[in-house]
Amino acid sequence: MPNAVLTYWKLHKVPILLSILCGLLYYTFAYHLQRSDFARMFGLYLGLFILCYKLIQFEKWNYKFLLFLGVVFRLVFLFAIPNLSQDFYRFIWDGHLVLLGENPYLYLPVDLVGSSEIIIPQAGYLVEGMESLSASNFSNYPPLSQLLFGLSVWLGGGKILGSVIAIRLILLLADLGIFYFGRKLLKFVNKSPHLIFWYFLNPLIIIELGGNLHFEGVMLFFLLITLYLIAINKWMLAALPMALSISVKLIPLMFLPLFFKALGLKKGLIFNTLVFLILAATLLPFYNPAFAENYMATLSLWFSNFEFNASIYNVVKSLGESLDLKPWELIKSYGKLIPLIVIVWVGILSLLRKNSSQHILIQSMLFILALYFFLTPTVHPWYIITLVALCIFTDYRFPLVWSATIIFSYTAYRDPGTEESMGFLIIEYLSVYGFLIYEIFKHGSFKSLIPKKYRGKGVNPI
């Protein structure tokens, strides 16, 4: 046994040392970092990205070793209170309401503080933690997310740290599922299975899911199951995980029209019908006449009131300021335009592309979501996790570049007033758009975005 250990050490000495250094950087990130200290954050993040690249480079065929590291790096955060996002306070708040049998879509947290009818443990602390913006709006997390919040609070014994640990373990299980189905799906699209580590070891994924407790990982887990089941021709069964994916995060709703070409018109119609029926079933426990109004009121804020780390919106905003347009009116008008543009884009990719190929289907999903994030006024770092996961099944790598540069969005928190730095945002988006343009020309000057039968026949490139 000692000889085997010594031999392994000799063969893998450098990766092991890099792994130890990586673990120390994650420990510092989890327990010794303030969100306002961007200089330290950037140094840690840069170091982690370089180490991630080197570990994959050295050990990309050593699946057990890299899988073990991915799990260990996530467990480093296990007892840490998230330091870059306060969303988890709202998760725990909603989870308490679910456990009490109350509907989380019907109450504003600020109205329940001090309530004698509905008593939330540590209510004042949770409301203070989630901050006024969240506390003064209705919950916008879909039904399955709410049930997972309730499960986390129950598993955590109603305590904040216990609930945080429970959420982390749920997200870890989801990431392990992504690893498992991701490798299987990579083989279906003729990609090397080691590419899954660009998701599993990516610092953005580990920090924003394992560290800051966002549920994009659970959504992705169900989405990859959907894609895998469709790949093996079990499309009716795939409707269940697709509905569950939407019931965690609404983002996959945008992908549903693609399945009319992916499965054929008849099967696509049946598939989408089943998805909506299952989705409706997940809504039933929370049904209330006021539900739709409250939920849509909160959801609309993301298009018409909030702005953070935007790209195209900031260009439009600058042009509007030069024309003396009022910013609050501009964002409301711009917010109404985004859904229309995205709907048209989804229609184009759904009608013109041959999405029956798994590779093309995932690529269409990638470009639908990319356009949406390029247009939207709010792009938090964890939003692009879905892009990172999807891109490894395609020939495009611009989301990996974005996963490295999106750290610049955290410069907004250097000051208490959340003031964004346009200089850093320009660096972020020039890197992303520049690499995207390079990749589009590399893969055939837009030809990879349209089916071959339309090329050279007078159809303008998308």
Side-chain angles (χ1 to χ4, degrees), residues 3 50 62 89 93 125 162 166 207 270 285 345 381 390 404 418 427 459:
N3 289 336
I50 293 172
N62 194 347
Y89 289 109
W93 176 277
Y125 182 77
I207 290 167
I270 295 172
W345 182 236
L390 292 175
T418 314
I427 294 172
V459 177

Side-chain angles (χ1 to χ4, degrees), residues 191-350:
K191 299 289 182 183
S192 172
H194 87 273
L195 291 172
I196 192 62
F197 291 113
W198 281 110
Y199 172 87
F200 201 69
L201 290 181
N202 193 308
L204 175 71
I205 310 302
I206 293 173
I207 290 167
E208 294 296 352
L209 299 188
N212 295 324
L213 307 182
H214 298 293
F215 276 73
E216 270 71 11
V218 180
M219 176 198 75
L220 277 168
F221 167 63
F222 288 120
L223 182 61
L224 289 193
I225 294 177
T226 300
L227 294 172
Y228 174 71
L229 289 174
I230 288 174
I232 61 174
N233 203 30
K234 294 184 178 180
W235 57 272
M236 290 188 71
L237 185 60
L240 174 60
M242 188 64 188
L244 296 179
S245 182
I246 296 168
S247 193
V248 175
K249 294 278 184 177
L250 296 181
I251 285 293
L253 270 173
M254 290 189 285
F255 304 149
L256 289 179
L258 296 174
F259 292 101
F260 287 108
K261 267 289 185 74
L263 301 173
L265 184 60
K266 182 178 178 181
K267 290 181 179 178
L269 181 61
I270 295 172
F271 175 82
N272 280 282
T273 301
L274 288 173
V275 168
F276 279 110
L277 288 174
I278 297 168
L279 188 59
T282 68
L283 285 168
L284 283 178
F286 302 99
Y287 175 76
N288 186 283
F291 163 76
E293 182 181 352
N294 293 346
Y295 192 84
M296 293 307 297
T298 302
L299 199 63
S300 66
L301 295 176
W302 296 102
F303 294 100
S304 60
N305 287 67
F306 302 153
E307 51 182 285
F308 179 82
N309 189 39
S311 58
I312 293 175
Y313 168 73
N314 275 324
V315 175
V316 173
K317 183 180 177 181
S318 297
L319 292 173
E321 289 174 349
S322 67
L323 297 173
D324 294 326
L325 297 178
K326 297 176 181 178
W328 58 90
E329 293 180 352
L330 178 66
I331 190 173
K332 287 184 181 295
S333 300
Y334 183 86
K336 293 176 182 178
L337 190 61
I338 292 173
L340 297 178
I341 296 174
V342 172
I343 288 170
V344 171
W345 182 236
V346 170
I348 291 172
L349 294 184
S350 299

Side-chain angles (χ1 to χ4, degrees), residues 230 258 261-264 353-361:
I230 288 174
L258 296 174
K261 267 289 185 74
L263 301 173
R353 305 202 80 206
K354 191 176 180 181
N355 294 305
S356 55
S357 161
Q358 201 73 2
H359 174 267
I360 299 299
L361 173 63

Side-chain angles (χ1 to χ4, degrees), residues 6 8 96 136 139 147 238 283 285 340 350 375 378 389 416:
L6 185 61
Y8 194 87
H96 277 296
S136 58
S139 182
L147 295 177
L283 285 168
L340 297 178
S350 299
L375 289 172
T378 306

